[in-house]
Amino acid sequence: ALSVPVQAVVHRRFRDLPDTPLFRDWIAQQPETPAERGKDIAVRYVKVVFVMQKGVARARPVETGISDEDRIEIQDGLDENDMVIVVKKGNPRGIASLADLTSPDCRVGVCHPTDSALGSLTKRLLKDENLESIYDDPALMVATGPMLLNAIAAGPTGGLDAAIVYRSNVLSTPENLDRVELVEIEQDERRLATARQPWAIAKQADHPRLLERFHAALVSEGSRKTFTDAGFRWLADRSEP
């Protein structure tokens, strides 16, 4: 799990936060404290961390864990599997947004739009932002995010200047943060930069109950730790399918 300075986590009343699906869904999933029972949802408190996006501090709801005098564990909220821009350490080109990737001399890496789920989501996001031209002539197009990370970390002058990857591609290996930096992609309430991938079993499968066993394994506590440690946001406790 991630950890941040204890001062980074603050409490805000729900009424004082942006009226977006992110916060509405979050407050609906959080159990009421004894002091909150019977009170209007507007006065309930939400733990938040402020994340810089395009130079603006934006609140993100979080669930916290253990802490000491200096740092506190973030169990949920900052480790969801969003897409992010990854750049060389120190961000020498000063890349702050998707639009910066359209610079003619910016060497950008992306995943293949048909051979990769990440690539398909990336192209959808860029199309919505009217930046689909990035796919016209990328410096590198591959099948996986880790391949893009390796190209970013090739050296101060070689490789790529930037790439679009999953946050989990970076956080799955702690050493990655010593080699690259993350630039957040600003999202509206549609959250097009968040990966949500379906799962299913064929109707004609010989073992149709196998999916239930697979699901049980995925939502186990051991699986939860594996996923959250790798940078995914855990959604299995939600009531929606």
Side-chain angles (χ1 to χ4, degrees), residues 201-210:
I201 190 169
K203 290 182 178 180
Q204 68 272 24
D206 292 334
H207 304 285
R209 301 297 296 275
L210 189 61

Short mmCIF file of all heavy atoms in Angstrom, two decimals, residues 201-210:
data_model
loop_
_atom_site.label_atom_id
_atom_site.label_comp_id
_atom_site.label_asym_id
_atom_site.label_seq_id
_atom_site.Cartn_x
_atom_site.Cartn_y
_atom_site.Cartn_z
N ILE A 201 -17.63 -15.71 -19.01
CA ILE A 201 -17.35 -17.08 -19.43
C ILE A 201 -18.30 -17.43 -20.59
O ILE A 201 -19.44 -16.95 -20.63
CB ILE A 201 -17.53 -18.09 -18.26
CG1 ILE A 201 -16.99 -19.46 -18.64
CG2 ILE A 201 -18.98 -18.15 -17.81
CD1 ILE A 201 -16.89 -20.43 -17.47
N ALA A 202 -17.82 -18.18 -21.52
CA ALA A 202 -18.62 -18.52 -22.70
C ALA A 202 -19.84 -19.34 -22.31
O ALA A 202 -19.79 -20.19 -21.41
CB ALA A 202 -17.77 -19.31 -23.70
N LYS A 203 -20.98 -19.09 -22.99
CA LYS A 203 -22.21 -19.81 -22.69
C LYS A 203 -22.06 -21.31 -22.93
O LYS A 203 -22.68 -22.12 -22.25
CB LYS A 203 -23.35 -19.26 -23.55
CG LYS A 203 -23.80 -17.86 -23.17
CD LYS A 203 -24.96 -17.41 -24.03
CE LYS A 203 -25.46 -16.04 -23.63
NZ LYS A 203 -26.59 -15.59 -24.47
N GLN A 204 -21.22 -21.67 -23.91
CA GLN A 204 -21.06 -23.08 -24.25
C GLN A 204 -19.91 -23.75 -23.51
O GLN A 204 -19.50 -24.86 -23.85
CB GLN A 204 -20.84 -23.23 -25.78
CG GLN A 204 -19.52 -22.66 -26.29
CD GLN A 204 -19.62 -21.18 -26.63
OE1 GLN A 204 -20.47 -20.49 -26.11
NE2 GLN A 204 -18.74 -20.72 -27.50
N ALA A 205 -19.38 -23.09 -22.45
CA ALA A 205 -18.25 -23.66 -21.72
C ALA A 205 -18.62 -25.01 -21.10
O ALA A 205 -19.74 -25.21 -20.63
CB ALA A 205 -17.80 -22.69 -20.62
N ASP A 206 -17.67 -25.94 -21.10
CA ASP A 206 -17.90 -27.27 -20.52
C ASP A 206 -18.02 -27.21 -19.00
O ASP A 206 -18.65 -28.08 -18.39
CB ASP A 206 -16.75 -28.21 -20.90
CG ASP A 206 -16.73 -28.52 -22.39
OD1 ASP A 206 -17.80 -28.45 -23.03
OD2 ASP A 206 -15.64 -28.81 -22.91
N HIS A 207 -17.42 -26.20 -18.38
CA HIS A 207 -17.44 -26.08 -16.91
C HIS A 207 -17.93 -24.68 -16.52
O HIS A 207 -17.13 -23.83 -16.10
CB HIS A 207 -16.05 -26.35 -16.35
CG HIS A 207 -15.47 -27.67 -16.76
ND1 HIS A 207 -15.89 -28.87 -16.21
CD2 HIS A 207 -14.55 -27.98 -17.70
CE1 HIS A 207 -15.22 -29.87 -16.76
NE2 HIS A 207 -14.40 -29.36 -17.68
N PRO A 208 -19.22 -24.41 -16.63
CA PRO A 208 -19.74 -23.06 -16.39
C PRO A 208 -19.57 -22.57 -14.97
O PRO A 208 -19.57 -21.36 -14.73
CB PRO A 208 -21.23 -23.19 -16.76
CG PRO A 208 -21.53 -24.65 -16.60
CD PRO A 208 -20.28 -25.36 -17.01
N ARG A 209 -19.42 -23.48 -14.00
CA ARG A 209 -19.24 -23.05 -12.60
C ARG A 209 -17.81 -22.63 -12.31
O ARG A 209 -17.50 -22.14 -11.22
CB ARG A 209 -19.65 -24.19 -11.65
CG ARG A 209 -21.08 -24.67 -11.79
CD ARG A 209 -22.07 -23.55 -11.45
NE ARG A 209 -22.00 -23.14 -10.07
CZ ARG A 209 -22.65 -23.74 -9.07
NH1 ARG A 209 -23.46 -24.76 -9.34
NH2 ARG A 209 -22.54 -23.31 -7.85
N LEU A 210 -16.92 -22.84 -13.28
CA LEU A 210 -15.52 -22.52 -13.07
C LEU A 210 -15.33 -21.02 -12.82
O LEU A 210 -14.45 -20.61 -12.05
CB LEU A 210 -14.68 -22.96 -14.27
CG LEU A 210 -13.16 -22.88 -14.13
CD1 LEU A 210 -12.70 -23.78 -12.99
CD2 LEU A 210 -12.48 -23.28 -15.43
#
